[in-house]
Every structure is written in structure tokens, then in C-alpha cells.
Amino acid sequence: QVQLVESGGGLVQAGGSLRLSCAASGRTFSSYDMGWFRQAPGKEREFVTAISWGGGSMYYADSVKGRFTVSRDNAKNTVYLQMNSLKPEETAVYYCAADANHRITTLARDQMEYDYWGQGTQVTVSS
């Protein structure tokens, strides 16, 4: 069982940056692949990025490549999402999720692949 708590959301102007954190409970955090998803108002939740359990592999949605960076610190049971050059259309609730199945290579973008979810953190990008 893993509990996930996101933080770091807030209001930022277009072009600005935010860093989200996702803190995990439990001693087995390092065994989980981790993902970030987001859900904008009136839209379906979508994949943003994922990182393998050891941090050696990362996957990004095309829309965020070159602007967002995912990282993790297994000693701190935390995964991070650095978001730069934010756009108003990226206003959404951002969720982190944990995947125990180690199929991230092929299923990183599949929400059904993830076993545990945080409650989300709101990111609002003003124009």
C-alpha cells in the first residue's frame, strides 16, 4: 500500500515555472514506477510524464517535451515534476500515480496501469 500526496501547485503567469512534488508513504517507494497525469476542467485526465523505479527511464507527452522534467529521490520517497514555460491551457489538477507492475516501457500512458493515486494539486496558469 502506498499513499501519495502532491504539493507545489498554485497560480503562475504564462511562461512561468512551478515544481510539483509527490511524497509517498511506505518503505517500498523505490520499487514503483511513477507517473504524472493532469485533468483540465471539462476534459479527460491525460498523461504527462512517467519515470521508472530507478529513475533511469523517463517518458513524456509530446506536448510537454523540452519544458517539463520528471525526477525522483528514492531516499526521500519523492517524485518531482519541474514545469517550465507553462501555458494557460495547462491549467489543470495534476496527479501523481504509482505503478507496481513494471510495464512502464509500454504502458506508461495507460491510466489503468497505475495502482495508487494522489488527491491532486491545482495548477493555474494565467494569461
Side-chain angles (χ1 to χ4, degrees):
Q1 186 84 9
V2 174
Q3 292 185 326
L4 305 172
V5 179
E6 302 94 335
S7 61
L11 175 64
V12 63
Q13 289 187 335
S17 299
L18 279 176
R19 188 175 83 151
L20 305 183
S21 299
C22 172
S25 65
R27 294 176 291 178
T28 59
F29 172 75
S30 61
S31 67
Y32 290 89
D33 297 328
M34 298 295 295
W36 285 96
F37 291 77
R38 64 188 179 190
Q39 186 167 20
K43 295 187 177 181
E44 295 186 351
R45 190 160 56 186
E46 65 175 2
F47 170 78
V48 176
T49 183
I51 186 168
S52 60
W53 62 273
S57 298
M58 288 79 78
Y59 306 86
Y60 295 94
D62 289 343
S63 60
V64 307
K65 282 181 181 177
R67 298 184 299 117
F68 288 17
T69 303
V70 63
S71 61
R72 67 189 296 162
D73 185 340
N74 286 342
K76 295 182 178 180
N77 281 13
T78 302
V79 61
Y80 304 98
L81 178 61
Q82 177 67 43
M83 305 186 294
N84 298 329
S85 302
L86 282 160
K87 305 174 183 179
E89 55 265 37
E90 294 181 309
T91 293
V93 177
Y94 283 70
Y95 300 90
C96 68
D99 172 16
N101 304 305
H102 297 299
R103 298 180 298 199
I104 198 174
T105 301
T106 54
L107 296 176
R109 294 164 175 76
D110 186 348
Q111 297 182 45
M112 298 300 294
E113 175 65 8
Y114 294 82
D115 304 286
Y116 304 101
W117 292 81
Q119 83 291 345
T121 186
Q122 176 71 47
V123 172
T124 302
V125 185
S126 63
S127 57

